[in-house]
Amino acid sequence: MTVKSTSRARKKAAPGVPDPARAGIGAEPELVQLLTPEGDRVEHPEFPLTVTPEELRALYRDLVLVRRFDAEATSLQRQGELGLWASLLGQEAAQVGSGRAMRTGDYAFPTYREHGVAWCRDVDPLNLLGMFRGVNHGGWDPNEKNFHLYTIVIGSQTLHATGYAMGISKDGADDAVVAYFGDGASSQGDVNEAFTFASVYNSPVVFFCQNNQWAISEPTALQTRIPLYRRASGFGFPGVRVDGNDVLAVLAVTRWALDHARSGQGPVLVEAFTYRMGAHTTSDDPTRYRQSEETESWKAKDPILRLKAHLEKEGLADEAFFAGIEAESEQLGLRVREGVRSMPDPDPTLIFDHVYSEQHPLVDEERAEYEAYAASFEGGERH
Amino acid sequence: MTVKSTSRARKKAAPGVPDPARAGIGAEPELVQLLTPEGDRVEHPEFPLTVTPEELRALYRDLVLVRRFDAEATSLQRQGELGLWASLLGQEAAQVGSGRAMRTGDYAFPTYREHGVAWCRDVDPLNLLGMFRGVNHGGWDPNEKNFHLYTIVIGSQTLHATGYAMGISKDGADDAVVAYFGDGASSQGDVNEAFTFASVYNSPVVFFCQNNQWAISEPTALQTRIPLYRRASGFGFPGVRVDGNDVLAVLAVTRWALDHARSGQGPVLVEAFTYRMGAHTTSDDPTRYRQSEETESWKAKDPILRLKAHLEKEGLADEAFFAGIEAESEQLGLRVREGVRSMPDPDPTLIFDHVYSEQHPLVDEERAEYEAYAASFEGGERH
Amino acid sequence: MAGQLSIAKALNEALRKSLESDPKTVLMGEDIGKLGGVFRITDGLQKDFGDDRVIDTPLAESGIVGTAIGLALRGYRPVVEIQFDGFVYPAFDQIVSQLAKMHARALGHVKMPVTVRIPFGGGIGAVEHHSESHEAYFAHTAGLRVVSPSNAHDAHWMLRQAIESDDPVVFLEPKRRYWDKGEVGEDPMLPLHAARIVRPGTDATLIAYGPMVKVCQEAAQAAEEDGRQLEVVDLRSLSPIDFATLEESVKRTGRGIVVHEAPVFLGLGAELAARLTERCFYHLEAPILRVGGYHAPYPPSRVEESYLPDLDRVLDAVDRAFAF
Amino acid sequence: MAGQLSIAKALNEALRKSLESDPKTVLMGEDIGKLGGVFRITDGLQKDFGDDRVIDTPLAESGIVGTAIGLALRGYRPVVEIQFDGFVYPAFDQIVSQLAKMHARALGHVKMPVTVRIPFGGGIGAVEHHSESHEAYFAHTAGLRVVSPSNAHDAHWMLRQAIESDDPVVFLEPKRRYWDKGEVGEDPMLPLHAARIVRPGTDATLIAYGPMVKVCQEAAQAAEEDGRQLEVVDLRSLSPIDFATLEESVKRTGRGIVVHEAPVFLGLGAELAARLTERCFYHLEAPILRVGGYHAPYPPSRVEESYLPDLDRVLDAVDRAFAF
Ligand SMILES: Cc1ncc(C[n+]2csc(CCOP(=O)(O)OP(=O)(O)O)c2C)c(N)n1
Ligand SMILES: Cc1ncc(C[n+]2csc(CCOP(=O)(O)OP(=O)(O)O)c2C)c(N)n1
Ligand SMILES: [Mg+2]
Ligand SMILES: [Mg+2]
């Protein structure tokens, strides 16, 4: 074999090799968009969507209230009422669009940032705050609203979602599952194993990746050298990149994906191309690793402003409507503030309460020791 | 949104959804082949190959001797000289073709079945037998021939290979790495994490997957619903499926892949489409899970027969040559038999020898205890 | 069960009964279908219950346990097979951070009735990663229950009890005893987490589980010839541990020796020795001694006999206990 | 070092020195570059040594440790940062089956000079998975060395010694003490695996490491008011353990109390109690007692103070030891 032949082969292949610089670069042809940043409706051949004015106003309300809840939580953290908060600022459309695409019987497996999805699943916002206040690790009943507990270990929940979807198939039900994860999570073995299990078993799960451009301080280019939605092609199922700041596009694409999944065609990967406007969490300092210009440029794509512009342009909402939403969000803020402040600290014996669902001698023994020890303090500190 | 629209979208997408039944099905257009099962040379536009008669005869010799070594090991296991053996029968071309494509400075990270690659790396065959006899866990010096230790935990070595390749880049060397793994391994998180690290860092590693159609009793369709080489497209690097029973095609494709990697263009996935003719290991019983017809049909694609046919048709080798190889393989068989039978059992204190490279009080203490205890037996058993 | 069964067959029957009695029970693992598992523990079950309930999975342990958790959330009762002890580590995160903690995370709102079956231990002349005893990792993990049978009866009934448990159970199968036969009674006789005195004695207590119970029984037999009456306790449950039974025995005999294949350093014997010493301090004629593996990777099979505790090493420890 | 340094800064300086002194040293981890790690331990290092030596990795712990192993095979000396204790489990297989066993598998032909840095332990009011003490998993694993500093001097020198070691070292950083300041001397003073008596005493020996050393020192201080002289030993090395120093101390005081945040059941204290009892049997006035976490997942932060050992729980154990 001659060097010539290999180099020729190489030249042939070179175009096939994607440019790492392109990873996560936006405004690509394949980005599905139905509402421009300016608030104008555009059509997409594969994802047509007809929404009534009522639906549009309802989506707007969701977006505003979700953002308000998030802002409230952030300030509660600053006031010391919460130990930590992971803000969804900027990702409202990705979460509301996908959340509203789900049916009651569908099931969501969130990360720790899906406050907007929780809202759409009708989960009491106060439930979400317990773990950030440190009174529990989640603690709500996932089956009440088909909204699983927040999962902190990156990627793990995608396997739980896939297993749950396998169960749906066994039951012959036509529900579907949405597995939420981030751009950083796409690198975890668990997430790729979930892709394998879901595709091999043709399970009804939609992998919904919010590519918010950052995994704490790491840009998406450190997780992939091609757009993330293309990962699905390597596992044999469809992948779609949608404008994650366009609530209509996210709604249409996720509805299609859920329908695809529930109709027995297996998993879909949806990459919602969006941006984390705030810090990773309240303990993070983004000024150390990203330019304010970048954040500024995304402000122009704000998911709420564009829907508001649309409603106004089309005359689908009047002052009274917007004022009503304002008032409602004030109410929500108030309720959240008061709710958090009045959250009681758990009794320390919570430590022993749910280690096992059935009797366990060691836990009983340690609980008894603890209670006797704690009792010995009645009447003040010893040292 | 109307049901109509979603169903239309679904119909559009349906063709994009691969048929699980196609997974692992052979004779696809994209299968690179340079030598037909009948022994006729065919050209492939992207992978031209010029080989001298000497090279062809050398490859034939490799194939025959590797198969002979493997057969010898299998019978040594039957005779109780080895505790276990993982036969490469049927995969000689995939291993010799890729092994001969490597340069001296390149590095191979094998599974437990790469006896043919070891042969090409000039590793003494007896080294491979120690772990199967139970006298060590491998024990050779990987850096002597740039052939890493056999790795049993499925997929792990693909990350070691990628890390090694990252080191090559740091050193500014133009070496490359071949990471061997199987169709079953493609499901492991580690392997997909290796794909991510290698593509993000653009590391000089060739992922060489021998798709031998089976992971013990599980057909490839249980690991993927599309041909495995396409996995690479999900991570943004080239994937090629080559006829794994065609030593010339494997040689050409692997050389190209290595050249691609070493020239700074990053990883490549090569799927060598082949077949495990024997049992998974000597402890396996394939009759429980696969049809003999299937195995029969692959006999016709035998890697050695087709090269022999080619040499004969083209008059590139005479009786004397074939007789010479026969004699040589007898020699090899003899050497292996005697070598294994005369392998001494290790001293039990081997247990303590290489737990740490530096002094360790607990290991020293347990070694001393063991030696004192063992000494107490001098003069026969106690019970 | 009809007469004598091997441990392997007793386990197979237990899985069959569980599949019959609860339609939500599903088996998952690598090669558990047509092959019946590399040890044939699931032999014939896919044929009889279908591949929807006896599921061959992709080759990914984290995926197996992670999807089992999802199935449990959907109301199923998964029984997972890990092919060999050394291959459970890729699933360690799902077991320790998810399976073990989910019930507490949900304040009891969800249950995790998942059984993780693992053939464990050495003595079968295998290659690396096929002979490990890693029970300490799991026993140290709150939220998991860890058990190991030593005979056919317990293998059968403890597996059924483990599957019926609403908590996650790591079920460690003594692979080198798979072919030992024994009578399987008509009922479990003991709760899952009770220890059993398999041989009464007065002079010292041998504490073992899984594959080492047999070794301890043989040692006690041999010791009798030296005029020593050794009590042998089969722990059965590694987490929780039935300390009441152990404490009573050790207080009676005044001596305790723990035997396991796992490395002694931070092995289960450490907890047994520490806690029994605290509970029996004034009754002890000697410290609780431990016989086990060394602080080293499991060695090549040609020297494994020197690594594994045997009759002589147990009796040597007994001598040391009496020499104190 | 110039004067008083926080533990965080002492670690940062140690990494800097290691990068300067050996061109083969590389740092790997999530967010260790521009951000300097979530605890800023690698602050400024990527700026000064380049992203070729201070490497931000994809978000995959198994990938981080697995590629570090490969880099070590190529002759590099990787120092890996795991962001929090609870996130090391995805890498467990690479650590236990590969990193720890590679040297033995190769009969000594290859070395694994890899340091795995993990901020561990609780007390910082964090959410789930950010407060765990999992040292027992690693200490039970042959092939690994496990150490944990309790002060700035040790943090600095032990990290440099760990990086220089040709064996894999799990380096556990007491995250809640990161901001405690202390003098960092001009040389290590002790080998990596030696324990240190940080406070001499005659009546009982408190054994601790990492974050609990400070608690034990405060307890000893308070005990003095009750007229009890408690000796405090900073273990420093969890595997191997400097039993010679401990044995001498416990034989002298006749009492030993082990304190750690990790669950007591099969925690490091179990091994310490079992082995010290064996070595000091006739010198013990009371059994070796253990103070630690409960057999439960690390609780929500609002109750973590009740879970974590504190001065009172230590003194309560001391009282119990004297009551025996
Ligand atoms: C297994 C694991 N490793 C590390 C972490 C620490 N961590 C928390 S969030 C995060 C970044 C996640 O990025 P991404 O997946 O993009 O989600 P995002 O936070 O952007 O929503 C990291 C590294 C973790 N929680 N789990
Ligand atoms: C992590 C892990 N899980 C399970 C096993 C048991 N096992 C050994 S080989 C094998 C099948 C591997 O199939 P494949 O990757 O296709 O390689 P092949 O044996 O066909 O060459 C399995 C499941 C293992 N060695 N490692
Ligand atoms: Mg992100
Ligand atoms: Mg295979």
Side-chain angles (χ1 to χ4, degrees), chain A residues 91-374:
Chain A
Q91 300 174 224
E92 297 86 354
Q95 297 193 15
V96 168
S98 57
R100 288 300 175 198
M102 297 173 76
R103 294 191 198 158
T104 318
D106 296 339
Y107 213 106
F109 284 81
T111 69
Y112 40 79
R113 205 187 288 283
E114 269 63 79
H115 323 310
V117 180
W119 172 265
C120 298
R121 299 304 295 171
D122 199 24
V123 174
D124 183 340
L126 287 170
N127 279 345
L128 307 177
L129 298 173
M131 64 183 267
F132 292 101
R133 185 171 169 88
V135 301
N136 58 42
H137 290 319
W140 62 84
D141 179 354
N143 295 320
E144 201 181 307
K145 308 287 173 152
N146 285 10
F147 184 79
H148 188 59
L149 297 159
Y150 275 178
T151 299
I152 290 176
V153 179
I154 300 295
S156 310
Q157 75 283 359
T158 58
L159 281 168
H160 309 155
T162 301
Y164 191 94
M166 287 161 62
I168 291 176
S169 304
K170 289 187 192 311
D171 298 343
D174 75 342
D175 305 320
V177 174
V178 181
Y180 288 90
F181 64 105
D183 43 289
S186 66
S187 297
Q188 280 287 358
D190 274 10
V191 174
N192 293 280
E193 291 187 9
F195 293 160
T196 286
F197 277 66
S199 56
V200 164
Y201 294 128
N202 207 42
S203 308
V205 53
V206 172
F207 294 105
F208 193 92
C209 178
Q210 286 171 81
N211 178 356
N212 61 6
Q213 313 307 320
W214 293 94
I216 305 185
S217 74
E218 300 192 349
T220 307
L222 258 171
Q223 317 292 345
T224 178
R225 66 191 214 177
I226 56 169
L228 273 172
Y229 75 95
R230 294 201 204 157
R231 177 70 54 85
S233 69
F235 292 84
F237 57 93
V240 181
R241 174 180 278 190
V242 60
D243 181 342
N245 288 17
D246 171 352
V247 70
L248 299 185
V250 175
L251 177 67
V253 168
T254 313
R255 268 191 193 157
W256 167 79
L258 282 163
D259 185 61
H260 180 97
R262 82 173 83 250
S263 61
Q265 295 178 83
V268 175
L269 171 60
V270 175
E271 177 191 6
F273 201 75
T274 180
Y275 193 77
R276 194 196 76 207
M277 295 300 290
H280 169 69
T281 66
T282 46
S283 350
D284 179 40
D285 173 11
T287 63
R288 293 179 66 99
Y289 56 79
R290 71 182 185 186
Q291 305 298 327
S292 55
E293 295 71 36
E294 180 183 292
T295 319
E296 283 309 310
S297 73
W298 277 88
K299 278 216 179 104
K301 302 177 186 161
D302 185 77
I304 298 186
L305 292 183
R306 77 170 75 177
L307 184 53
K308 185 168 197 201
H310 181 65
L311 289 170
E312 288 172 338
K313 280 184 187 180
E314 305 293 322
L316 301 174
D318 54 16
E319 274 317 310
F321 169 76
F322 292 116
I325 303 283
E326 238 343 281
E328 200 177 355
S329 70
E330 281 310 317
Q331 284 304 316
L332 176 63
L334 189 65
R335 177 164 170 271
V336 168
R337 268 198 306 283
E338 290 175 346
V340 167
R341 296 212 176 96
S342 58
M343 260 185 208
D345 278 359
D347 183 287
T349 54
L350 170 72
I351 293 169
F352 310 98
D353 284 346
H354 304 291
V355 185
Y356 298 90
S357 72
E358 295 163 356
Q359 194 269 347
H360 192 285
L362 177 57
V363 174
D364 297 346
E365 183 186 321
E366 291 189 337
R367 175 198 288 272
E369 277 168 22
Y370 173 81
E371 284 168 347
Y373 170 74

Side-chain angles (χ1 to χ4, degrees), chain D residues 244-298:
Chain D
T245 298
L246 295 174
E247 178 178 350
E248 184 281 326
S249 172
V250 170
K251 279 184 172 168
R252 203 162 16 79
T253 63
R255 295 178 179 83
I257 292 128
V258 186
V259 183
H260 53 56
E261 292 186 15
V264 166
F265 188 81
L266 260 174
L268 206 73
E271 182 61 39
L272 287 158
R275 212 166 280 250
L276 287 171
T277 303
E278 198 175 330
R279 295 191 177 213
C280 312
F281 192 62
Y282 289 113
H283 299 75
L284 290 180
E285 308 286 340
I288 306 286
L289 299 181
R290 296 174 290 165
V291 181
Y294 300 107
H295 187 69
Y298 194 89

Side-chain angles (χ1 to χ4, degrees), chain B residues 30-164:
Chain B
E30 62 264 285
L31 186 78
V32 177
Q33 187 179 76
L34 298 182
L35 188 66
T36 68
E38 297 67 36
D40 302 317
R41 275 291 261 118
V42 287
E43 288 304 320
H44 189 290
E46 290 184 43
F47 302 99
L49 176 72
T50 31
V51 271
T52 65
E54 290 69 21
E55 288 174 303
L56 287 172
R57 285 191 293 271
L59 289 168
Y60 179 80
R61 174 177 171 274
D62 287 336
L63 294 171
V64 171
L65 293 182
V66 163
R67 179 171 291 185
R68 176 50 182 266
F69 164 68
D70 184 73
E72 204 60 51
T74 300
S75 64
L76 281 164
Q77 192 279 335
R78 295 227 177 76
Q79 297 158 34
E81 295 292 337
L82 301 179
L84 181 82
W85 183 244
S87 168
L88 63 28
L89 189 65
Q91 301 175 221
E92 297 85 354
Q95 297 193 16
V96 168
S98 57
R100 286 301 174 198
M102 297 174 76
R103 294 191 198 158
T104 318
D106 295 339
Y107 213 107
F109 284 81
T111 69
Y112 39 80
R113 204 186 290 282
E114 268 62 81
H115 324 309
V117 180
W119 171 265
C120 298
R121 297 305 294 172
D122 200 23
V123 174
D124 183 340
L126 287 170
N127 280 345
L128 307 178
L129 299 172
M131 64 182 267
F132 293 100
R133 185 173 170 87
V135 300
N136 58 43
H137 290 319
W140 63 84
D141 179 354
N143 295 320
E144 200 181 310
K145 305 288 166 112
N146 286 9
F147 185 79
H148 189 58
L149 297 159
Y150 275 178
T151 298
I152 291 175
V153 179
I154 299 297
S156 311
Q157 76 283 358
T158 58
L159 281 169
H160 309 156
T162 300
Y164 192 95

